[in-house]
Amino acid sequence: MAPKAPKDPNAAKVGKAPKSPRQPIIPPGPYVPAPPPTRPGQRYFEFGDWFNSKGYWKGNHDLKKLIATFFTPTQRDKLSNGTFRYIMTMENFKCSMKLVHCPCLSRIFMNDRDSISFKIFGHDVSFTLQDFHIMCDLRITTHNVEKPINQESNILKSYFGKSKGVTLKDIRSFMTRNEIPKNVVNHVHVCESDDDAVKLMEILVVESILFAKNTESSMMEEYAFIVEDDKVCAEYPWGNVAYEKLIYSLKHALDKQNKLHTTEYKLGGFPYP
């Protein structure tokens, strides 16, 4: 084996490369969703976007309890055979907002008043006014629905002393205060007639179920006026009005996110169907 060469004392020392300065850790910024689509046929969001969003339905869920405690058997029968009979046969008025959330994310941008489209498992799926009619059995029309004339509601004025400014909470409290005692025969009902009791409940159905108003909201005089007339109520296109409110909410819910909580949004209308 050859001997090692002696070290040169004048040779430059070879040291380790200097360490690069540690880079500061920059926290990720707030999540910014993709901009809304602007052309027909564009998809709204991917499923991965807005994954932690929260939606809630503003409708009231306990009308069945009010019916059970405020109505007589005759009044329940009249309600079950009235304009909103199919709505009243539903077991409850709750729905899976997680399930509704998925179609919201996969909506396809379309300028169609009577339809909304989604991309579901690679297929375009539409939810139309006719579909809504089949599910809710609410009358629809092919004509544009005119806004009802603002007229006083006799039934609201009779039981609450005013026609304007009566809230859903006022009617619900009225019914709760005047529950029918159990096992009482020949109880004198607080309403002057069975029709009055049924109409008060139908007003609640319109405002809290179809329009999804909260309990502090005031009743619309014009809709209460329509409910009072059996013939007009039966012929009024409730399906058009309720569908329009639901579709508008579905189409704009993700546009109007909460400024303080950008991953949250509100959905109105009647999403149960």
Side-chain angles (χ1 to χ4, degrees), residues 29 34 80 100 104 106 118 125 129 135 143-144 158 160 173 179 198-199 212 231 238 248 254:
S80 299
V100 176
C104 279
S106 60
F118 309 96
V125 181
L129 173 62
M135 294 178 179
H143 306 291
N144 292 332
S158 174
F160 302 97
S173 298
E179 292 181 354
V198 171
K199 293 181 191 309
K231 186 175 184 297
W238 295 109
Y248 180 86
L254 297 180

Side-chain angles (χ1 to χ4, degrees), residues 25-88:
I25 299 176
I26 302 176
Y31 169 71
V32 180
T38 56
R39 297 192 305 274
Q42 282 186 300
R43 191 169 175 178
Y44 206 85
F45 288 112
E46 297 295 332
F47 278 107
D49 297 332
W50 291 77
F51 183 74
N52 294 320
S53 297
K54 297 179 182 179
Y56 66 89
W57 183 28
K58 296 185 294 184
N60 300 302
H61 306 152
D62 57 350
L63 294 189
K64 293 295 180 70
K65 181 180 178 182
L66 288 176
I67 293 171
T69 57
F70 181 72
F71 273 20
T72 65
T74 301
Q75 293 165 358
R76 284 196 292 269
D77 289 342
K78 289 180 71 69
L79 181 66
S80 299
N81 293 305
T83 302
F84 307 104
R85 54 188 175 278
Y86 198 74
I87 299 293
M88 303 315 300

Side-chain angles (χ1 to χ4, degrees), residues 96-228:
S96 170
M97 294 311 299
K98 290 184 180 295
L99 184 62
V100 176
H101 176 60
C102 292
C104 279
L105 295 185
S106 60
R107 179 171 73 81
I108 301 171
F109 179 76
M110 293 290 183
N111 289 319
D112 191 339
R113 179 179 179 181
D114 295 330
S115 176
I116 185 170
S117 299
F118 309 96
K119 180 73 73 173
I120 306 296
F121 299 120
H123 300 278
D124 292 0
V125 181
S126 296
F127 178 59
T128 66
L129 173 62
Q130 185 64 34
D131 297 328
F132 186 80
H133 164 69
I134 293 172
M135 294 178 179
C136 298
D137 197 28
L138 296 171
R139 187 176 184 275
I140 60 174
T141 179
T142 57
H143 306 291
N144 292 332
V145 181
E146 297 181 0
K147 186 176 180 181
I149 300 174
N150 187 8
Q151 298 190 44
E152 281 193 341
S153 166
N154 293 326
I155 192 169
L156 293 181
K157 197 168 184 179
S158 174
Y159 291 99
F160 302 97
K162 56 183 178 180
S163 177
K164 186 183 293 293
V166 179
T167 66
L168 276 71
K169 185 177 181 180
D170 292 333
I171 296 183
R172 296 168 67 87
S173 298
F174 174 78
M175 292 182 173
T176 303
R177 291 194 311 268
N178 294 284
E179 292 181 354
I180 299 176
K182 293 182 179 179
N183 303 322
V184 175
V185 181
N186 297 326
H187 173 71
V188 179
H189 201 276
V190 65
C191 290
E192 296 180 3
S193 67
D194 293 336
D195 284 343
D196 284 0
V198 171
K199 293 181 191 309
L200 282 177
M201 179 56 68
E202 288 181 335
I203 292 173
L204 276 183
V205 170
V206 169
E207 297 283 5
S208 63
I209 301 301
L210 299 186
F211 297 168
K213 288 186 177 180
N214 58 46
T215 57
E216 304 298 331
S217 299
S218 296
M219 317 296 294
M220 295 287 288
E221 286 182 292
E222 48 266 45
Y223 290 121
F225 179 81
I226 291 174
V227 169
E228 288 180 20

